[in-house]
Amino acid sequence: MTKNLPYWLCNKGTTCDSDDFEDGESFEFIKEVSLIKLKDERYQVSEIGAFRNILDGYGYALIDNKIADILKKYVSDQIDLKQTIIFRRATNEEWTNYSELIMKNKIEFNEYYQTESVGLNIYGILNGLIYVSADLKDLIEKELTDLTDIEFKRGLPLMAG
């Protein structure tokens, strides 16, 4: 593999049966909360699960505001962030510690292994997966030492392909 391929920024334990990652690791399944994006830009809980630092689904990526602050600091010109509300109608619970991440730069799934990334870069793949350059990865790891349940993987999850 080329040493400058971007890293997938994901939760530890993200569902994946891929042996496509550089270290050959598979992930254990952890049931995450399922969300529905509403017309008013809020997200409604459709199925209860774990609230993780990254909540992604088809067409959206929500990140904990701690991650959002770092991305805003280093790659604000490559992203849009929208503070969002997640709510569970049945219990009237609300979560306001997430921002919707919209990445301006995209990589096509089949072009990943030809994409070299130098400097501070962030990319979206497949309508919600977050990929970052090695330099940005290093800054995130340095500044978010308390977020021990996120990790970085080079390669593509087979579930996405």
Side-chain angles (χ1 to χ4, degrees):
M1 269 188 219
T2 307
K3 69 176 185 172
N4 290 326
L5 286 175
Y7 286 86
W8 180 28
L9 169 58
C10 59
N11 295 308
K12 281 188 181 172
T14 297
T15 306
C16 182
D17 59 0
S18 177
D19 60 359
D20 195 33
F21 293 109
E22 64 183 352
D23 60 8
E25 181 179 338
S26 292
F27 292 114
E28 174 187 345
F29 177 75
I30 295 176
K31 174 70 175 137
E32 296 181 9
V33 66
S34 295
L35 303 172
I36 300 169
K37 185 174 183 177
L38 303 178
K39 289 180 184 176
D40 66 4
E41 302 298 315
R42 295 181 304 156
Y43 288 82
Q44 180 178 331
V45 174
S46 64
E47 192 174 334
I48 286 297
F51 276 88
R52 310 288 300 279
N53 286 306
I54 300 167
L55 303 174
D56 54 13
Y58 185 77
Y60 68 86
L62 303 182
I63 56 175
D64 185 279
N65 286 333
K66 289 180 184 180
I67 301 170
D69 289 343
I70 298 302
L71 296 180
K72 192 179 340 177
K73 181 176 177 180
Y74 292 110
V75 291
S76 62
D77 60 330
Q78 299 175 49
I79 60 171
D80 287 322
L81 290 167
K82 295 180 186 175
Q83 182 65 40
T84 193
I85 295 172
I86 299 171
F87 74 99
R88 184 173 183 208
R89 189 180 308 275
T91 60
N92 290 322
E93 292 173 277
E94 265 189 9
W95 294 267
T96 58
N97 58 312
Y98 289 95
S99 291
E100 182 176 5
L101 172 64
I102 300 162
M103 294 156 283
K104 296 177 182 178
N105 301 320
K106 308 284 185 203
I107 299 173
E108 293 298 320
F109 186 80
N110 59 354
E111 296 172 1
Y112 171 78
Y113 288 106
Q114 290 78 43
T115 303
E116 291 206 40
S117 181
V118 177
L120 298 178
N121 294 297
I122 185 168
Y123 308 95
I125 296 180
L126 294 173
N127 295 312
L129 299 182
I130 305 165
Y131 276 76
V132 298
S133 63
D135 292 336
L136 183 55
K137 169 196 165 293
D138 292 344
L139 290 170
I140 293 169
E141 287 179 322
K142 181 180 174 185
E143 296 200 25
L144 294 178
T145 56
D146 60 327
L147 291 186
T148 57
D149 62 343
I150 60 172
E151 65 183 340
F152 298 87
K153 292 287 192 189
R154 274 198 171 134
L156 295 167
L158 291 180
M159 66 173 184

